[in-house]
Amino acid sequence: MADLPQDAADPAGGAPAPAPPADDAGAALLGPVEQVHLRLRELALPLEVPGAAQARAVREAAARQVDDYLLPRLRSAAAPLLVVVGGSTGAGKSTLVNSLLGATVTDPGVLRPTTRAPVLVHHPLDGAWFSGDRVLPGLARVTGSASTAPAAEPRENRPTDRPTDRPPAPAVRLVPSEALPRGMALLDAPDVDSVEAANRALAAQLLAAADLWLFVTTAARYADAVPWELLHDAAARHAVVALVVDRVDPGAEAAVADLRRMLDEHGLAGAPSFALPEGLDADGLLPEAAVGELAAWLSDLGGDVGARQEVARATRDGAVAELVRRALALADAADAQVDASARLRESVTRAYGEAGRQVAAATSDGALLRGEVLARWQELVGTGDLLRAVERGVGRLRDAVTGFLRGRPAPVPPVEQAIAHGLAAVVLDAADGAAERTHAAWRGDPAGEALLPDLGLSRSSASLRATVDAEVRAWQGDVLDLVREQGERRRGAARALSFGLNALGVSLMVVVFASTGGLTGVEVGIAGGTALVAQRLLEAVFGDDAVRRLTVAARERLDTRVSQLLAAEAERFTAQLDALGASSGDALRAAALALQEAARRHVPGPPAPGADDDAALTRGARAAPAPGSGRVELRGAAAWRAVAASPGRGGVGDGAPTGHPDGAAAAPSRPGFWRRLLGRGGAG
C-alpha cells in the first residue's frame, strides 16, 4: 500500500484526518537508514571471537527494529502512534488495557505465561494502517475480539511453503474499538520475563517497535532485573517511556518513591509514572477513579496531532541515534572478525611454511642418503671398481661407466622404490606435524576452537599418503625426463648409455638429496662418497655445467610438488574461513557515519531549558474537551478531570496521581518536555 500524503483522506475511507506537521527530517533520514539496514543484513559475524554472540544479538535487534519501527515510521509519518503496554508476568497489563477501554478486548491470563499473543487495539477508522505490513511487517494478522478471535493463525495468512511441522509464525490480533482515540493504538505485549523464550523475544521486539512504552510493573516486583534491562535499553536510545505501578496498597509509598529513584539512576528521570491501587470492580476491571489520571493523559496525547507527532519524532530520533551507535560498534566487531580470521590464517601459514622448510632441509642435507637408499645404491653401483675409477680421473671413469652400464644393465627399481619410500616418509611427517601445530593453535584461540569439532583436522587428510606416493612417482618421472632431454642434446652419450637412463636418473636424485645445485667442498664431506660417485657419473656423461643445471631443475620441480601438497593440506583449514566469509566493517561504518551526518543536519537538538514556546503551551487549553466536540476520551478520564479541577486538588497539571493511596503528588519530572508535549507537567 503506497504511503498516503499528509493531508489525504483517512486510509480506511473516513473523514480527512488532521494533517500533522511536515516532517522533512524523516524524508532526509530514510535513505541513510535504508543503507545502514542493508549493511546490517549483509554483515557476517561467523567467528566466535570474544563478544561475538552479543554482537550478533545486537545486529539482529538493530535490524529488527529498523524493520519493525524505523522504516515504517520514516515511510509513514502519519501512521497512528503505537503505544506498547509491556511488563512483567502477572503485572496486570491486559487488565489495564481492558480497564482503559471499559471492555474486555484482551484476555487476562491465569496460567503462566499470561499474555500469549499480542493484541493491538485501534480505532476502527485506523484499521487500514495495521491490516497491511506497514506496521510490524514481520507479524501475521488475525482479527476479532478476545472471545471470537481464532486460536491460531488463519490459513490464508500462512506462507504456502511453510512445512506443516513448523510452529506458526507470531501473529498480532487486531481489535477495533470506538473507545480509543483516532491516531493512537494500544498493543498488549507478552511478558518480558515469560517462561517461554519465544514470548520474551517477541515482547522485546514489540517494545522496540513502540513510539511510546507504557511499562507496567507492581509494587511488589518493580525492582526485578529483567524489566530494568529493557528500561535501561530504552533510556540508552532515548525512547519515550511512561511507568505504571499496579497494585499499590495503602502504605506502599516507599515503593513508589524507590521506583522514582531507580528511574533517575537509569536515565529515565523524565518518565511520567502512575500509581494504581489494588482492587477490581465486579466486571474484573480497575475502577474508573484508579485509571482516570492515566486515561486523561493518554486522551490528551491521542487528541493532539502535534503532541503525537512530537512523541513519535522523539522516539524516532532516539532510535536513529541508537542505530548509529550500534552500527559503529558492529563495524568494530566485524573488524575484530577479520583480525581473528587473519590470525588463524597466519597460524596455518606459519605451520605449513615450517613443514615446507622441513622437507627442503631433509631433501638437501644428505639425510635421505642413508639406510635403505644407501644399501640399494651400493647394490646398483658397487663400492669397489667404480669408486677406484673415480679416484683415477674422469676419463677412466667414463670408460668404467660405459663398461659398467653396458655390462651390467641391472634393474634399478629397488633404488627408486627406496628413494620413493624415504621421500614420502619425509613429506608425510612434515604434513602431520603441520596439522598438529595448526590444530593446537586453533584450539587455543576461541575463534578457531569453534571450527574444529568433527572435522578431523588434528592429523593430515586420510588420502594424503596415496597423494604423496603419486606425486613422488611423478617427480621421479620428471627427473628421468630431464636426463632424457639432456641425453638427446648429447646424442653420442645417449646412444652409448641407452640402457643406463634409469641409473643416471637415480644418480641425479642422489645428487639432489645431497645439495641444491651440485656438490661443493663442504657438501662432499656431508654427503660422503655416495653422492660423490653419483655426481661423478653424471659429470662423466654430461659435464659439470649440465649437472648443475639438472640438479637445480630437479630440485625446483620437487619443491613445487611438495609446496602444492602442503598447500592442499593447509586449505583444509583455510577453507573453513573462506566459507564463513568474515568481512570488514568499512561499508557499515561508512553508512553509519552518513546517517549520523544526516541526523546532525536535519534533526534539531533539544531546546534549551525554559525554552517552551507559546504555541506549544497553548496545547494545554485543549487538554479538556470542548462541549459538543465529540472527542473520544478513555474510560475514567472525564471523571478524573472533574476531580482534579475541584477546589483543593489543583488543576490538570498538578501531577497528583489519583491512583496513589494518599493522593500525594510526587515532584514533577522533565517538566519542559511534557509541558511542551501536552501543555502540562508529567504525572508524578
Side-chain angles (χ1 to χ4, degrees):
M1 185 169 59
D3 289 346
L4 300 177
Q6 301 288 353
D7 57 352
D10 183 89
D23 187 12
D24 296 334
L29 293 173
L30 178 58
V33 168
E34 288 176 333
Q35 282 298 311
V36 173
H37 182 247
L38 174 63
R39 299 307 179 188
L40 283 174
R41 288 303 185 190
E42 293 175 345
L43 184 65
L45 300 171
L47 296 176
E48 295 300 334
V49 300
Q54 181 181 2
R56 292 188 200 107
V58 170
R59 176 194 59 192
E60 292 306 313
R64 189 166 52 241
Q65 188 182 31
V66 174
D67 280 328
D68 291 344
Y69 174 71
L70 262 180
L71 288 179
R73 177 51 68 189
L74 290 172
R75 290 168 180 166
S76 303
L81 190 76
L82 183 60
V83 180
V84 175
V85 183
S88 304
T89 300
K93 302 182 298 297
S94 299
T95 300
L96 176 61
V97 171
N98 292 336
S99 300
L100 288 170
L101 299 173
T104 301
V105 297
T106 176
D107 284 327
V110 177
L111 302 177
R112 300 292 183 262
T114 50
T115 302
R116 297 176 179 271
V119 178
L120 192 152
V121 188
H122 58 84
H123 190 277
L125 294 179
D126 288 339
W129 289 108
F130 302 105
S131 59
D133 61 356
R134 180 176 304 192
V135 180
L136 299 172
L139 300 181
R141 268 57 169 173
V142 295
T143 58
S145 64
S147 59
T148 63
E153 181 185 356
R155 183 173 301 276
E156 60 268 22
N157 287 341
R158 297 179 186 173
T160 56
D161 59 347
R162 179 188 297 163
T164 56
D165 58 347
R166 184 181 300 175
V172 58
R173 181 156 53 85
L174 304 180
V175 179
S177 173
E178 293 278 0
L180 199 65
R182 289 185 63 190
M184 175 184 287
L186 289 179
L187 195 155
D188 182 17
D191 307 324
V192 298
D193 55 357
S194 172
V195 295
E196 294 184 5
N199 275 359
R200 295 196 304 272
L202 181 56
Q205 177 183 353
L206 294 174
L207 287 171
D211 294 304
L212 169 64
W213 288 25
L214 192 60
F215 212 87
V216 184
T217 185
T218 66
R221 301 189 59 186
Y222 70 90
D224 287 359
V226 174
W228 281 102
E229 291 177 3
L230 291 171
L231 288 170
H232 180 76
D233 178 68
R237 54 187 187 83
H238 308 289
V240 179
V241 181
L243 274 292
V244 176
V245 188
D246 199 6
R247 301 172 187 169
V248 179
D249 293 322
E253 296 84 353
V256 178
D258 191 47
L259 173 62
R260 287 249 50 103
R261 177 191 61 78
M262 295 181 70
L263 289 171
D264 295 346
E265 290 179 353
H266 285 78
L268 293 169
S273 61
F274 304 86
L276 308 184
E278 180 74 68
L280 303 177
D281 61 18
D283 296 325
L285 304 177
L286 293 165
E288 290 191 20
V291 298
E293 182 191 13
L294 175 58
W297 180 73
L298 289 173
S299 297
D300 291 345
L301 183 58
D304 190 328
V305 175
R308 294 199 308 269
Q309 290 294 312
E310 189 170 347
V311 169
R313 281 195 294 268
T315 300
R316 179 205 68 191
D317 295 344
V320 167
E322 179 66 2
L323 178 62
V324 170
R325 186 192 68 80
R326 284 174 162 177
L328 292 175
L330 288 170
D332 292 340
D335 290 343
Q337 295 268 322
V338 172
D339 292 343
S341 179
R343 185 171 63 248
L344 294 176
R345 290 179 188 276
E346 173 59 26
S347 65
V348 176
T349 301
R350 185 168 55 251
Y352 282 91
E354 175 60 29
R357 291 188 291 274
Q358 179 181 334
V359 173
T363 56
S364 61
D365 62 1
L368 277 176
L369 303 181
R370 299 185 179 94
E372 185 70 13
V373 174
L374 178 60
R376 300 287 80 80
W377 171 253
Q378 289 176 344
E379 289 177 2
L380 176 64
V381 301
T383 57
D385 296 339
L386 193 59
L387 185 57
R388 285 191 294 273
V390 170
E391 294 171 351
R392 295 190 191 103
V394 173
R396 295 182 179 180
L397 175 62
R398 184 179 295 109
D399 296 336
V401 170
T402 302
F404 165 75
L405 292 174
R406 284 180 176 176
R408 296 180 55 195
V412 293
V415 186
E416 291 182 358
Q417 291 174 3
I419 290 175
H421 291 162
L423 180 56
V426 168
V427 176
L428 288 170
D429 182 65
D432 282 340
E436 291 173 1
R437 290 191 297 273
T438 304
H439 187 274
W442 279 34
R443 188 175 55 197
D445 190 309
E449 184 179 17
L451 303 178
L452 293 176
D454 304 324
L455 292 180
L457 296 178
S458 61
R459 301 285 293 177
S460 297
S461 58
S463 61
L464 181 61
R465 177 173 292 278
T467 303
V468 168
D469 289 344
E471 289 296 324
V472 168
R473 289 194 298 271
W475 176 72
Q476 290 178 325
D478 291 343
V479 172
L480 292 179
D481 289 343
L482 289 172
V483 171
R484 184 181 296 106
E485 292 170 2
Q486 185 64 33
E488 289 175 353
R489 299 188 185 101
R490 299 173 61 89
R491 295 187 181 278
R495 287 192 297 272
L497 302 176
S498 59
F499 294 101
L501 186 62
N502 287 350
L504 292 176
V506 169
S507 299
L508 182 55
M509 296 176 201
V510 169
V511 173
V512 168
F513 293 151
S515 69
T516 57
L519 294 175
T520 65
V522 175
E523 290 166 338
V524 168
I526 296 173
T530 303
L532 182 60
V533 169
Q535 180 161 324
R536 291 294 183 261
L537 283 172
L538 294 171
E539 290 175 349
V541 177
F542 300 124
D544 296 354
D545 291 340
V547 170
R548 292 188 178 277
R549 289 194 302 272
L550 289 171
T551 305
V552 171
R555 159 60 59 181
E556 289 176 348
R557 296 193 183 190
L558 175 61
D559 290 344
T560 298
R561 292 186 179 276
V562 170
S563 297
Q564 291 173 345
L565 281 170
L566 295 178
E569 286 295 292
E571 190 180 1
R572 298 187 307 145
F573 290 91
T574 57
Q576 308 305 316
L577 301 174
D578 294 339
L580 294 177
S583 58
S584 75
D586 291 345
L588 177 58
R589 184 177 293 107
L593 293 175
L595 175 58
Q596 185 179 56
E597 178 62 18
R600 186 188 68 80
R601 289 176 177 272
H602 298 284
V603 175
D612 298 339
D613 56 278
D614 293 338
L617 285 172
T618 60
R619 295 177 189 162
R622 302 196 302 271
S629 65
R631 174 184 170 188
V632 175
E633 285 203 321
L634 293 170
R635 177 175 179 264
W640 183 84
R641 294 184 196 284
V643 173
S646 63
R649 291 301 303 270
V652 172
D654 67 354
T658 302
H660 197 285
D662 60 359
S669 58
R670 200 165 58 171
F673 175 79
W674 290 108
R675 195 180 307 277
R676 289 192 305 277
L677 184 62
L678 299 177
R680 63 184 180 89

